[in-house]
Amino acid sequence: MAHPVRGWNTWNNYQCNITEDLILRQAQAIVDLNLSHLYNYIVIDDCWMSPERSLSNELQADSNSFPNGMKSIADKVHDLGLKIGLYTSIGETTCEGLPASHGYYYLDAATISGWGFDFLKVDTCGLTREQMFNPAPFYEQMGVALKAQERDIVYNVCNWGIWEPWIFAGDFAASWRTTTDIFPTFWRVLQIVDYSESLAPFSKPGHYNDLDMLEVGVSGTLFNWEWTPKIRPLTHVESKTHLSLWAIMNSPIVLGLNLASPDLDLKLVEILSNEKLLNLQADPIQRPARRQLVKTEGPLIAPTSLFTGFLTMLPHFCFSPLGDCTYVEIWTKQLSHDALAVMVFNRGSSKIRDVKVSLKEDLHYSCENLIVEDVWNSDFSYDDELYTLTASKVAPQGSTVFILTPSSGICSYNGIQHIDANNFKIDSNRLVLLLLLWFISLRFIKS
Ligand code: GAL
Protein backbone atom coordinates (compact mmCIF):
# COMPACT_ATOMS: atom_id res chain seq x y z
CA MET A 1 0.00 0.00 0.00
CA ALA A 2 1.30 3.42 -0.88
CA HIS A 3 0.05 5.11 2.28
CA PRO A 4 -1.73 4.33 5.56
CA VAL A 5 -5.40 3.40 5.32
CA ARG A 6 -7.90 6.24 5.13
CA GLY A 7 -11.61 5.78 5.58
CA TRP A 8 -14.58 5.96 7.89
CA ASN A 9 -15.42 3.86 10.97
CA THR A 10 -18.64 3.43 12.97
CA TRP A 11 -17.23 3.54 16.50
CA ASN A 12 -16.48 7.16 17.45
CA ASN A 13 -19.94 8.44 16.61
CA TYR A 14 -22.22 5.43 16.90
CA GLN A 15 -20.58 2.84 19.17
CA CYS A 16 -23.03 -0.11 19.17
CA ASN A 17 -25.91 1.72 17.51
CA ILE A 18 -25.14 0.49 14.02
CA THR A 19 -27.16 -0.98 11.19
CA GLU A 20 -26.58 -1.96 7.59
CA ASP A 21 -28.66 0.99 6.51
CA LEU A 22 -26.63 3.50 8.52
CA ILE A 23 -23.35 2.20 7.14
CA LEU A 24 -24.55 2.19 3.55
CA ARG A 25 -25.75 5.76 3.94
CA GLN A 26 -22.29 6.79 5.14
CA ALA A 27 -20.66 4.96 2.24
CA GLN A 28 -22.98 6.66 -0.22
CA ALA A 29 -22.23 10.04 1.40
CA ILE A 30 -18.49 9.51 0.96
CA VAL A 31 -19.13 9.03 -2.75
CA ASP A 32 -21.59 11.93 -3.03
CA LEU A 33 -19.26 14.32 -1.20
CA ASN A 34 -16.47 13.39 -3.59
CA LEU A 35 -14.33 12.01 -0.79
CA SER A 36 -14.06 8.42 -1.99
CA HIS A 37 -10.66 8.85 -3.65
CA LEU A 38 -9.31 10.10 -0.30
CA TYR A 39 -11.16 7.94 2.23
CA ASN A 40 -11.96 4.58 0.72
CA TYR A 41 -12.29 2.08 3.61
CA ILE A 42 -15.66 1.77 5.37
CA VAL A 43 -15.02 -0.03 8.64
CA ILE A 44 -17.67 -1.71 10.79
CA ASP A 45 -16.41 -1.69 14.38
CA ASP A 46 -17.69 -3.62 17.43
CA CYS A 47 -21.28 -4.91 17.75
CA TRP A 48 -21.93 -6.19 14.23
CA MET A 49 -21.95 -9.82 15.35
CA SER A 50 -24.68 -12.03 16.71
CA PRO A 51 -24.24 -13.16 20.35
CA GLU A 52 -23.99 -16.76 19.06
CA ARG A 53 -21.66 -18.38 16.56
CA SER A 54 -23.30 -20.61 13.91
CA LEU A 55 -23.65 -24.38 14.37
CA SER A 56 -20.39 -24.78 12.46
CA ASN A 57 -18.78 -22.14 14.71
CA GLU A 58 -18.62 -19.25 12.26
CA LEU A 59 -19.13 -15.70 13.41
CA GLN A 60 -22.43 -14.44 12.09
CA ALA A 61 -24.05 -11.06 11.64
CA ASP A 62 -26.53 -9.72 14.16
CA SER A 63 -29.76 -10.49 12.33
CA ASN A 64 -31.55 -7.36 13.53
CA SER A 65 -28.98 -4.82 12.46
CA PHE A 66 -27.56 -6.71 9.46
CA PRO A 67 -30.58 -8.66 8.18
CA ASN A 68 -28.92 -9.37 4.81
CA GLY A 69 -25.69 -10.67 6.32
CA MET A 70 -22.12 -9.44 6.04
CA LYS A 71 -21.44 -10.58 2.49
CA SER A 72 -24.34 -8.51 1.27
CA ILE A 73 -23.08 -5.28 2.86
CA ALA A 74 -19.55 -5.99 1.62
CA ASP A 75 -20.88 -6.40 -1.93
CA LYS A 76 -22.88 -3.19 -1.71
CA VAL A 77 -19.92 -1.19 -0.42
CA HIS A 78 -17.72 -2.66 -3.17
CA ASP A 79 -20.33 -1.68 -5.74
CA LEU A 80 -19.79 1.92 -4.66
CA GLY A 81 -16.09 1.53 -5.53
CA LEU A 82 -15.07 1.44 -1.85
CA LYS A 83 -13.36 -1.13 0.35
CA ILE A 84 -14.81 -2.57 3.52
CA GLY A 85 -13.40 -3.45 6.94
CA LEU A 86 -14.54 -5.35 10.00
CA TYR A 87 -13.68 -5.68 13.70
CA THR A 88 -12.98 -8.58 16.05
CA SER A 89 -10.85 -9.16 19.12
CA ILE A 90 -7.93 -11.46 19.78
CA GLY A 91 -9.65 -12.67 22.99
CA GLU A 92 -12.85 -14.64 23.48
CA THR A 93 -15.09 -11.59 23.50
CA THR A 94 -15.06 -8.11 22.04
CA CYS A 95 -14.92 -5.11 24.39
CA GLU A 96 -18.72 -5.09 24.23
CA GLY A 97 -18.91 -8.73 25.32
CA LEU A 98 -19.80 -10.27 21.95
CA PRO A 99 -18.13 -13.35 20.43
CA ALA A 100 -14.58 -12.72 19.23
CA SER A 101 -11.83 -14.76 17.65
CA HIS A 102 -9.77 -16.53 20.33
CA GLY A 103 -9.48 -20.19 19.31
CA TYR A 104 -10.96 -19.42 15.88
CA TYR A 105 -8.33 -17.27 14.20
CA TYR A 106 -8.13 -19.28 11.02
CA LEU A 107 -11.87 -19.90 10.78
CA ASP A 108 -12.67 -16.22 11.34
CA ALA A 109 -10.05 -15.04 8.87
CA ALA A 110 -11.51 -17.42 6.28
CA THR A 111 -15.08 -16.33 7.03
CA ILE A 112 -14.22 -12.64 6.79
CA SER A 113 -12.27 -13.19 3.61
CA GLY A 114 -15.14 -15.25 2.18
CA TRP A 115 -17.52 -12.38 2.82
CA GLY A 116 -15.17 -10.12 0.87
CA PHE A 117 -13.70 -7.89 3.58
CA ASP A 118 -10.51 -5.95 2.89
CA PHE A 119 -9.48 -4.79 6.37
CA LEU A 120 -9.60 -6.24 9.88
CA LYS A 121 -9.23 -4.32 13.15
CA VAL A 122 -8.31 -6.71 15.97
CA ASP A 123 -8.85 -5.51 19.54
CA THR A 124 -7.32 -6.88 22.77
CA CYS A 125 -10.43 -7.56 24.84
CA GLY A 126 -11.52 -10.95 26.16
CA LEU A 127 -8.12 -12.39 27.03
CA THR A 128 -7.39 -13.95 30.40
CA ARG A 129 -5.08 -12.05 32.73
CA GLU A 130 -2.20 -14.32 31.84
CA GLN A 131 -2.79 -14.03 28.07
CA MET A 132 -3.16 -10.29 28.41
CA PHE A 133 0.44 -10.01 29.58
CA ASN A 134 1.67 -11.50 26.32
CA PRO A 135 -0.81 -10.99 23.49
CA ALA A 136 1.89 -11.00 20.79
CA PRO A 137 1.67 -14.74 19.87
CA PHE A 138 -2.09 -14.45 19.39
CA TYR A 139 -1.74 -11.43 17.16
CA GLU A 140 0.91 -13.25 15.22
CA GLN A 141 -1.35 -16.29 14.73
CA MET A 142 -4.12 -14.05 13.45
CA GLY A 143 -1.59 -12.46 11.11
CA VAL A 144 -0.68 -15.88 9.72
CA ALA A 145 -4.35 -16.78 9.34
CA LEU A 146 -5.04 -13.57 7.41
CA LYS A 147 -2.01 -14.06 5.16
CA ALA A 148 -3.25 -17.56 4.31
CA GLN A 149 -6.41 -16.09 2.71
CA GLU A 150 -6.64 -15.40 -0.97
CA ARG A 151 -7.90 -11.92 -0.30
CA ASP A 152 -5.56 -9.12 0.69
CA ILE A 153 -6.73 -8.09 4.14
CA VAL A 154 -5.16 -5.05 5.80
CA TYR A 155 -4.38 -5.99 9.41
CA ASN A 156 -4.85 -3.34 12.13
CA VAL A 157 -3.69 -4.29 15.62
CA CYS A 158 -5.67 -2.51 18.34
CA ASN A 159 -3.52 -3.19 21.41
CA TRP A 160 -3.87 0.35 22.81
CA GLY A 161 -0.08 0.75 22.78
CA ILE A 162 0.15 -1.33 25.92
CA TRP A 163 2.42 -4.23 25.01
CA GLU A 164 4.58 -2.35 22.54
CA PRO A 165 2.74 -3.46 19.39
CA TRP A 166 5.17 -1.31 17.36
CA ILE A 167 7.74 -3.97 18.25
CA PHE A 168 5.79 -7.21 18.22
CA ALA A 169 3.52 -6.33 15.28
CA GLY A 170 5.95 -4.05 13.46
CA ASP A 171 6.57 -6.52 10.66
CA PHE A 172 3.25 -8.29 10.20
CA ALA A 173 0.61 -5.61 10.87
CA ALA A 174 -0.20 -2.70 8.59
CA SER A 175 -0.75 -0.51 11.66
CA TRP A 176 -1.01 -0.68 15.44
CA ARG A 177 -2.69 1.63 17.90
CA THR A 178 -0.25 3.64 20.00
CA THR A 179 -2.64 4.52 22.86
CA THR A 180 -5.98 3.81 24.48
CA ASP A 181 -9.04 5.47 22.97
CA ILE A 182 -9.28 8.97 21.67
CA PHE A 183 -12.24 11.12 22.72
CA PRO A 184 -13.50 14.38 21.25
CA THR A 185 -11.42 16.98 23.04
CA PHE A 186 -8.40 18.76 21.68
CA TRP A 187 -6.22 18.03 24.69
CA ARG A 188 -6.80 14.28 24.26
CA VAL A 189 -5.81 14.67 20.60
CA LEU A 190 -2.59 16.36 21.77
CA GLN A 191 -1.90 13.76 24.44
CA ILE A 192 -1.99 11.09 21.76
CA VAL A 193 0.34 13.15 19.60
CA ASP A 194 2.80 13.68 22.46
CA TYR A 195 2.75 10.04 23.37
CA SER A 196 3.16 8.85 19.78
CA GLU A 197 5.81 11.32 18.60
CA SER A 198 8.75 9.39 19.96
CA LEU A 199 7.40 6.21 18.34
CA ALA A 200 8.07 7.66 14.90
CA PRO A 201 11.13 5.43 14.38
CA PHE A 202 8.86 2.38 14.33
CA SER A 203 6.77 3.65 11.45
CA LYS A 204 7.97 2.42 8.07
CA PRO A 205 6.46 2.04 4.61
CA GLY A 206 3.50 -0.34 4.88
CA HIS A 207 3.63 -0.44 8.72
CA TYR A 208 2.36 2.58 10.63
CA ASN A 209 1.68 3.96 14.10
CA ASP A 210 -2.09 4.31 14.39
CA LEU A 211 -3.03 7.37 16.46
CA ASP A 212 -6.70 6.26 16.56
CA MET A 213 -9.69 7.48 14.59
CA LEU A 214 -10.39 11.14 13.97
CA GLU A 215 -12.69 13.19 16.16
CA VAL A 216 -13.32 15.86 13.52
CA GLY A 217 -17.06 16.55 13.55
CA VAL A 218 -17.72 14.08 16.36
CA SER A 219 -19.22 15.12 19.67
CA GLY A 220 -19.53 12.95 22.71
CA THR A 221 -18.69 12.53 26.35
CA LEU A 222 -15.44 12.80 28.22
CA PHE A 223 -13.57 9.47 28.07
CA ASN A 224 -16.42 8.14 25.90
CA TRP A 225 -18.22 7.07 29.06
CA GLU A 226 -21.94 7.80 29.12
CA TRP A 227 -21.99 9.21 32.62
CA THR A 228 -19.13 11.67 32.02
CA PRO A 229 -19.89 15.25 30.90
CA LYS A 230 -20.77 16.01 27.30
CA ILE A 231 -18.02 17.97 25.61
CA ARG A 232 -18.10 20.33 22.68
CA PRO A 233 -16.84 19.10 19.30
CA LEU A 234 -13.50 20.34 18.01
CA THR A 235 -13.53 23.76 16.37
CA HIS A 236 -12.57 24.21 12.71
CA VAL A 237 -9.15 25.43 13.78
CA GLU A 238 -8.60 22.42 16.03
CA SER A 239 -9.93 20.08 13.34
CA LYS A 240 -7.37 21.39 10.84
CA THR A 241 -4.57 20.86 13.33
CA HIS A 242 -5.87 17.36 14.22
CA LEU A 243 -5.97 16.34 10.54
CA SER A 244 -2.59 17.92 9.81
CA LEU A 245 -0.88 16.08 12.67
CA TRP A 246 -2.38 12.72 11.69
CA ALA A 247 -1.34 13.30 8.09
CA ILE A 248 2.26 14.31 8.74
CA MET A 249 2.75 11.63 11.40
CA ASN A 250 1.68 9.05 8.81
CA SER A 251 -1.18 7.68 10.86
CA PRO A 252 -4.17 5.97 9.30
CA ILE A 253 -6.86 8.63 8.93
CA VAL A 254 -10.25 7.17 9.70
CA LEU A 255 -13.17 9.56 10.02
CA GLY A 256 -16.10 9.13 12.37
CA LEU A 257 -18.43 12.04 11.72
CA ASN A 258 -21.94 11.59 10.35
CA LEU A 259 -21.34 12.36 6.70
CA ALA A 260 -24.94 11.68 5.79
CA SER A 261 -26.37 14.26 8.19
CA PRO A 262 -28.60 16.96 6.67
CA ASP A 263 -26.78 19.38 9.02
CA LEU A 264 -23.33 18.33 7.88
CA ASP A 265 -20.88 21.19 8.31
CA LEU A 266 -19.51 21.68 4.80
CA LYS A 267 -16.54 23.58 6.14
CA LEU A 268 -15.44 20.33 7.78
CA VAL A 269 -15.81 18.50 4.48
CA GLU A 270 -13.63 21.15 2.87
CA ILE A 271 -11.01 20.66 5.59
CA LEU A 272 -11.08 16.89 5.19
CA SER A 273 -10.73 17.22 1.41
CA ASN A 274 -7.25 18.74 1.59
CA GLU A 275 -5.59 16.52 -0.98
CA LYS A 276 -2.23 18.25 -0.86
CA LEU A 277 -1.99 17.57 2.85
CA LEU A 278 -3.14 13.96 2.57
CA ASN A 279 -0.75 13.36 -0.32
CA LEU A 280 2.15 13.94 2.07
CA GLN A 281 1.37 10.46 3.39
CA ALA A 282 2.06 8.96 0.00
CA ASP A 283 5.52 10.44 -0.32
CA PRO A 284 7.74 7.49 -1.32
CA ILE A 285 10.11 7.62 1.66
CA GLN A 286 7.16 7.64 4.09
CA ARG A 287 8.99 9.34 6.95
CA PRO A 288 6.69 10.31 9.80
CA ALA A 289 7.07 13.86 11.09
CA ARG A 290 9.01 14.69 14.25
CA ARG A 291 8.68 17.66 16.55
CA GLN A 292 11.74 19.61 15.45
CA LEU A 293 11.62 22.40 17.97
CA VAL A 294 9.48 24.29 20.43
CA LYS A 295 9.65 28.06 20.74
CA THR A 296 8.51 29.38 24.09
CA GLU A 297 8.35 32.81 25.63
CA GLY A 298 6.62 34.16 28.70
CA PRO A 299 5.05 32.53 31.73
CA LEU A 300 4.25 29.11 30.39
CA ILE A 301 2.96 26.51 32.81
CA ALA A 302 4.25 23.20 31.52
CA PRO A 303 7.48 21.32 32.07
CA THR A 304 8.26 20.97 28.39
CA SER A 305 10.90 18.31 28.86
CA LEU A 306 8.21 16.00 30.12
CA PHE A 307 6.02 16.31 27.06
CA THR A 308 6.33 12.73 26.01
CA GLY A 309 5.41 11.45 29.40
CA PHE A 310 2.93 11.36 32.16
CA LEU A 311 2.50 15.09 32.57
CA THR A 312 0.85 15.37 29.19
CA MET A 313 -2.14 14.05 31.09
CA LEU A 314 -2.37 17.66 32.24
CA PRO A 315 -2.82 20.14 29.42
CA HIS A 316 -0.19 22.87 29.59
CA PHE A 317 -1.36 26.46 29.47
CA CYS A 318 -0.22 30.04 29.55
CA PHE A 319 -0.71 31.67 32.90
CA SER A 320 -2.44 34.87 31.81
CA PRO A 321 -2.28 36.94 35.05
CA LEU A 322 1.47 36.95 34.50
CA GLY A 323 1.15 38.04 30.87
CA ASP A 324 0.70 36.18 27.61
CA CYS A 325 3.10 33.49 26.51
CA THR A 326 4.12 31.83 23.30
CA TYR A 327 4.35 28.12 22.82
CA VAL A 328 4.87 27.25 19.20
CA GLU A 329 5.85 23.85 17.87
CA ILE A 330 7.63 23.31 14.58
CA TRP A 331 7.29 19.84 13.11
CA THR A 332 9.20 18.54 10.10
CA LYS A 333 8.50 15.66 7.80
CA GLN A 334 11.29 14.69 5.47
CA LEU A 335 10.10 14.13 1.91
CA SER A 336 11.75 12.53 -1.08
CA HIS A 337 14.10 14.54 -3.36
CA ASP A 338 15.27 16.74 -0.46
CA ALA A 339 11.88 18.33 -0.01
CA LEU A 340 10.57 19.03 3.48
CA ALA A 341 7.12 19.52 5.00
CA VAL A 342 7.08 21.98 7.89
CA MET A 343 4.16 22.37 10.26
CA VAL A 344 3.91 25.49 12.40
CA PHE A 345 1.56 24.96 15.34
CA ASN A 346 0.52 27.76 17.72
CA ARG A 347 -0.13 25.38 20.57
CA GLY A 348 0.05 27.30 23.77
CA SER A 349 -0.77 30.90 23.08
CA SER A 350 -4.10 32.59 23.51
CA LYS A 351 -3.18 35.11 20.80
CA ILE A 352 -2.90 35.03 17.03
CA ARG A 353 0.81 34.90 16.20
CA ASP A 354 3.13 35.49 13.30
CA VAL A 355 5.70 32.72 13.48
CA LYS A 356 9.13 33.14 11.94
CA VAL A 357 11.18 30.05 11.16
CA SER A 358 14.81 30.18 10.13
CA LEU A 359 15.35 27.29 7.77
CA LYS A 360 19.05 27.14 8.55
CA GLU A 361 19.09 27.68 12.29
CA ASP A 362 15.76 26.22 13.34
CA LEU A 363 15.40 23.42 10.84
CA HIS A 364 19.02 22.80 9.76
CA TYR A 365 17.76 22.84 6.21
CA SER A 366 19.98 24.60 3.69
CA CYS A 367 18.63 24.52 0.20
CA GLU A 368 18.93 27.05 -2.56
CA ASN A 369 16.05 27.92 -4.85
CA LEU A 370 13.12 26.69 -2.90
CA ILE A 371 9.54 26.59 -4.03
CA VAL A 372 7.41 27.22 -0.96
CA GLU A 373 3.73 26.36 -0.78
CA ASP A 374 1.26 26.24 2.05
CA VAL A 375 -1.22 23.37 1.92
CA TRP A 376 -3.84 25.41 3.79
CA ASN A 377 -3.41 28.51 1.60
CA SER A 378 -2.67 30.68 4.62
CA ASP A 379 -0.72 33.92 4.41
CA PHE A 380 3.02 33.60 4.62
CA SER A 381 6.18 35.22 3.38
CA TYR A 382 9.48 33.70 2.44
CA ASP A 383 12.75 35.59 2.40
CA ASP A 384 15.04 33.71 0.03
CA GLU A 385 18.12 35.70 1.06
CA LEU A 386 17.80 35.09 4.78
CA TYR A 387 16.08 31.74 4.33
CA THR A 388 13.32 32.64 6.73
CA LEU A 389 9.74 31.62 6.46
CA THR A 390 7.04 33.56 8.29
CA ALA A 391 3.60 32.11 8.82
CA SER A 392 1.21 35.00 9.32
CA LYS A 393 -1.60 35.17 11.82
CA VAL A 394 -1.59 31.63 13.12
CA ALA A 395 -4.63 31.28 15.39
CA PRO A 396 -4.38 29.80 18.89
CA GLN A 397 -4.47 26.00 18.50
CA GLY A 398 -4.10 26.65 14.79
CA SER A 399 -1.41 25.52 12.46
CA THR A 400 -0.30 25.49 8.90
CA VAL A 401 1.78 23.11 6.81
CA PHE A 402 4.36 24.22 4.26
CA ILE A 403 5.96 22.14 1.56
CA LEU A 404 9.48 23.25 0.66
CA THR A 405 10.68 21.85 -2.63
CA PRO A 406 14.17 22.58 -3.98
CA SER A 407 14.02 23.40 -7.67
CA SER A 408 17.79 23.38 -8.27
CA GLY A 409 21.09 23.91 -6.51
CA ILE A 410 22.65 22.48 -3.41
CA CYS A 411 20.51 21.07 -0.65
CA SER A 412 21.08 19.51 2.74
CA TYR A 413 18.95 18.60 5.75
CA ASN A 414 20.41 17.78 9.16
CA GLY A 415 17.35 18.20 11.29
CA ILE A 416 15.84 15.66 13.58
CA GLN A 417 16.48 12.35 11.93
CA HIS A 418 14.70 9.10 11.75
CA ILE A 419 16.60 7.56 14.66
CA ASP A 420 17.24 3.88 14.79
CA ALA A 421 14.34 2.06 16.42
CA ASN A 422 16.81 -0.15 18.29
CA ASN A 423 17.88 2.86 20.31
CA PHE A 424 14.37 3.50 21.52
CA LYS A 425 14.20 3.35 25.30
CA ILE A 426 11.22 3.54 27.59
CA ASP A 427 11.71 6.54 29.85
CA SER A 428 10.32 6.71 33.34
CA ASN A 429 7.47 9.01 32.33
CA ARG A 430 6.36 6.61 29.67
CA LEU A 431 6.51 3.81 32.21
CA VAL A 432 4.17 5.66 34.56
CA LEU A 433 1.78 6.28 31.68
CA LEU A 434 1.95 2.64 30.65
CA LEU A 435 1.03 1.57 34.18
CA LEU A 436 -1.92 3.91 34.03
CA LEU A 437 -3.00 2.49 30.68
CA TRP A 438 -2.57 -0.97 32.08
CA PHE A 439 -4.83 -0.07 35.00
CA ILE A 440 -7.50 1.26 32.60
CA SER A 441 -7.24 -1.88 30.50
CA LEU A 442 -8.02 -4.05 33.53
CA ARG A 443 -11.66 -3.30 32.93
CA PHE A 444 -11.46 -5.19 29.67
CA ILE A 445 -9.77 -8.29 31.03
CA LYS A 446 -11.70 -11.51 31.15
CA SER A 447 -11.54 -12.71 34.76
C1 GAL B 1 -11.76 -0.34 22.05
C2 GAL B 1 -11.10 0.26 20.82
C3 GAL B 1 -12.07 1.20 20.16
C4 GAL B 1 -13.31 0.43 19.75
C5 GAL B 1 -13.90 -0.28 20.97
C6 GAL B 1 -15.02 -1.21 20.57
O1 GAL B 1 -10.92 -1.24 22.68
O2 GAL B 1 -9.95 0.91 21.22
O3 GAL B 1 -11.48 1.81 19.03
O4 GAL B 1 -12.98 -0.49 18.75
O5 GAL B 1 -12.92 -1.05 21.62
O6 GAL B 1 -15.51 -1.93 21.66
Side-chain angles (χ1 to χ4, degrees):
M1 173 167 312
H3 59 75
V5 153
R6 294 200 292 257
W8 183 92
N9 173 302
T10 50
W11 184 257
N12 278 0
N13 215 16
Y14 298 101
Q15 290 89 48
C16 283
N17 306 314
I18 53 172
T19 59
E20 169 177 328
D21 183 49
L22 172 126
I23 292 156
L24 290 176
R25 274 189 286 120
Q26 297 298 326
Q28 185 65 53
I30 286 210
V31 173
D32 296 346
L33 293 165
N34 200 17
L35 290 172
S36 58
H37 61 300
L38 300 174
Y39 303 94
N40 62 338
Y41 281 79
I42 302 291
V43 183
I44 309 172
D45 209 286
D46 206 346
C47 304
W48 61 268
M49 58 291 271
S50 141
E52 307 291 339
R53 284 181 175 263
S54 72
L55 289 177
S56 44
N57 280 330
E58 280 115 358
L59 285 172
Q60 45 188 0
D62 182 291
S63 56
N64 291 323
S65 30
F66 296 91
N68 303 308
M70 301 318 281
K71 179 161 184 346
S72 163
I73 187 167
D75 289 346
K76 289 174 189 155
V77 168
H78 286 149
D79 287 347
L80 290 170
L82 298 165
K83 299 200 180 244
I84 183 151
L86 206 55
Y87 164 101
T88 183
S89 184
I90 209 71
E92 275 177 30
T93 54
T94 71
C95 302
E96 292 296 322
L98 289 157
S101 297
H102 195 73
Y104 297 103
Y105 298 144
Y106 191 87
L107 176 64
D108 289 357
T111 307
I112 286 163
S113 164
W115 286 335
F117 280 79
D118 310 292
F119 173 100
L120 187 65
K121 167 173 172 180
V122 183
D123 217 329
T124 310
C125 285
L127 291 173
T128 63
R129 195 167 295 244
E130 203 178 288
Q131 291 164 343
M132 186 69 136
F133 272 99
N134 187 17
F138 307 119
Y139 274 109
E140 209 170 325
Q141 285 166 34
M142 179 55 106
V144 172
L146 289 171
K147 266 258 141 55
Q149 308 309 315
E150 263 177 32
R151 238 187 138 69
D152 254 349
I153 301 179
V154 177
Y155 186 18
N156 172 246
V157 166
C158 178
N159 180 239
W160 318 310
I162 291 189
W163 294 111
E164 301 191 317
W166 42 89
I167 295 177
F168 78 70
D171 289 330
F172 61 76
S175 55
W176 47 83
R177 278 269 298 278
T178 54
T179 66
T180 50
D181 291 10
I182 195 165
F183 39 86
T185 68
F186 195 53
W187 62 263
R188 176 62 182 153
V189 165
L190 295 184
Q191 256 177 18
I192 292 180
V193 167
D194 289 338
Y195 190 76
S196 308
E197 195 269 345
S198 62
L199 297 172
F202 296 98
S203 175
K204 51 194 179 206
H207 308 273
Y208 309 100
N209 289 319
D210 174 359
L211 276 60
D212 206 353
M213 298 164 300
L214 259 73
E215 293 288 14
V216 171
V218 177
S219 57
T221 50
L222 196 58
F223 306 119
N224 289 338
W225 295 334
E226 270 167 38
W227 48 272
T228 51
K230 184 126 171 82
I231 38 189
R232 67 153 175 84
L234 303 189
T235 62
H236 290 159
V237 167
E238 292 167 342
S239 297
K240 272 165 88 168
T241 300
H242 182 10
L243 182 71
S244 298
L245 285 163
W246 262 234
I248 66 170
M249 291 174 84
N250 278 5
S251 171
I253 301 185
V254 181
L255 312 177
L257 74 170
N258 177 1
L259 290 166
S261 162
D263 304 323
L264 178 65
D265 178 349
L266 292 178
K267 178 70 192 165
L268 289 183
V269 176
E270 189 194 317
I271 290 172
L272 294 169
S273 310
N274 191 328
E275 207 157 339
K276 253 192 198 134
L277 173 76
L278 297 175
N279 272 346
L280 291 174
Q281 296 199 309
D283 181 83
I285 61 171
Q286 305 234 310
R287 291 275 164 99
R290 304 295 313 255
R291 185 188 282 121
Q292 172 85 40
L293 87 152
V294 174
K295 294 186 175 213
T296 59
E297 251 172 53
L300 183 83
I301 309 295
T304 53
S305 59
L306 295 180
F307 259 120
T308 54
F310 179 59
L311 286 185
T312 56
M313 295 303 286
L314 310 168
H316 68 282
F317 55 94
C318 292
F319 191 52
S320 39
L322 300 180
D324 192 33
C325 74
T326 307
Y327 183 96
V328 172
E329 294 185 354
I330 315 286
W331 290 68
T332 50
K333 177 180 178 12
Q334 230 182 323
L335 302 171
S336 47
H337 308 298
D338 292 327
L340 193 70
V342 179
M343 177 168 170
V344 173
F345 172 25
N346 183 6
R347 177 167 172 165
S349 170
S350 54
K351 295 225 168 94
I352 295 175
R353 299 254 166 231
D354 286 350
V355 181
K356 193 183 229 180
V357 183
S358 154
L359 303 193
K360 286 195 170 149
E361 275 147 39
D362 292 338
L363 306 184
H364 311 284
Y365 185 62
S366 315
C367 298
E368 297 163 357
N369 306 323
L370 282 176
I371 299 165
V372 181
E373 58 179 329
D374 177 333
V375 305
W376 290 112
N377 291 324
S378 328
D379 283 345
F380 71 93
S381 57
Y382 177 59
D383 182 328
D384 58 3
E385 276 171 15
L386 295 174
Y387 296 109
T388 52
L389 182 60
T390 307
S392 313
K393 303 194 190 85
V394 189
Q397 288 75 57
S399 57
T400 196
V401 178
F402 296 102
I403 302 176
L404 314 182
T405 314
S407 58
S408 61
I410 298 169
C411 199
S412 79
Y413 174 61
N414 293 308
I416 185 160
Q417 294 295 318
H418 199 71
I419 57 157
D420 181 355
N422 295 327
N423 292 331
F424 176 82
K425 292 200 182 61
I426 286 217
D427 64 27
S428 54
N429 292 310
R430 185 178 287 277
L431 214 55
V432 177
L433 191 58
L434 276 176
L435 286 175
L436 197 80
L437 294 177
W438 166 246
F439 177 75
I440 293 170
S441 74
L442 284 180
R443 90 182 176 101
F444 295 123
I445 292 180
K446 194 174 162 290
S447 50

